Amino acid sequence: MKENKITRQMGIEEIFTRFPQKTEELADALANAGVRCFGCAAAAWESLEAGFKAHGMSDQEIDALVEHLNQIVAD
């Protein structure tokens, strides 16, 4: 059974596939954080952590954003 929690190691595309009912909210949260991953070619293979670090995010910012994404999917 797949876990219903987003982790730093999950692929960006995997998140949108796993939580299709939350795609718009997740994409908005990422865009508001300055990460426009939806539709990006790297989303197919890049982890959240790698993508966020490539956008200059600190570990603390990544943790906060992952927590926010998990709040979205939990609602």
Side-chain angles (χ1 to χ4, degrees):
M1 183 172 172
K2 290 185 178 181
E3 188 175 326
N4 282 332
K5 184 176 178 183
I6 295 171
T7 68
R8 292 168 72 123
Q9 293 74 34
M10 288 178 76
I12 296 164
E13 185 176 274
E14 176 186 357
I15 292 166
F16 292 121
T17 301
R18 192 176 288 190
F19 304 102
Q21 71 283 11
K22 299 289 186 170
T23 297
E24 187 174 331
E25 291 174 82
L26 292 167
D28 286 346
L30 291 169
N32 289 336
V35 181
R36 304 198 188 324
C37 299
F38 197 82
C40 173
W45 53 268
E46 191 170 59
S47 70
L48 281 178
E49 183 174 31
F52 293 167
K53 285 190 180 260
H55 284 277
M57 291 182 142
S58 69
D59 284 330
Q60 294 81 11
E61 290 171 315
I62 295 169
D63 288 340
L65 186 51
V66 169
E67 183 177 327
H68 179 62
L69 296 175
N70 276 307
Q71 288 172 348
I72 291 170
V73 298
D75 288 341

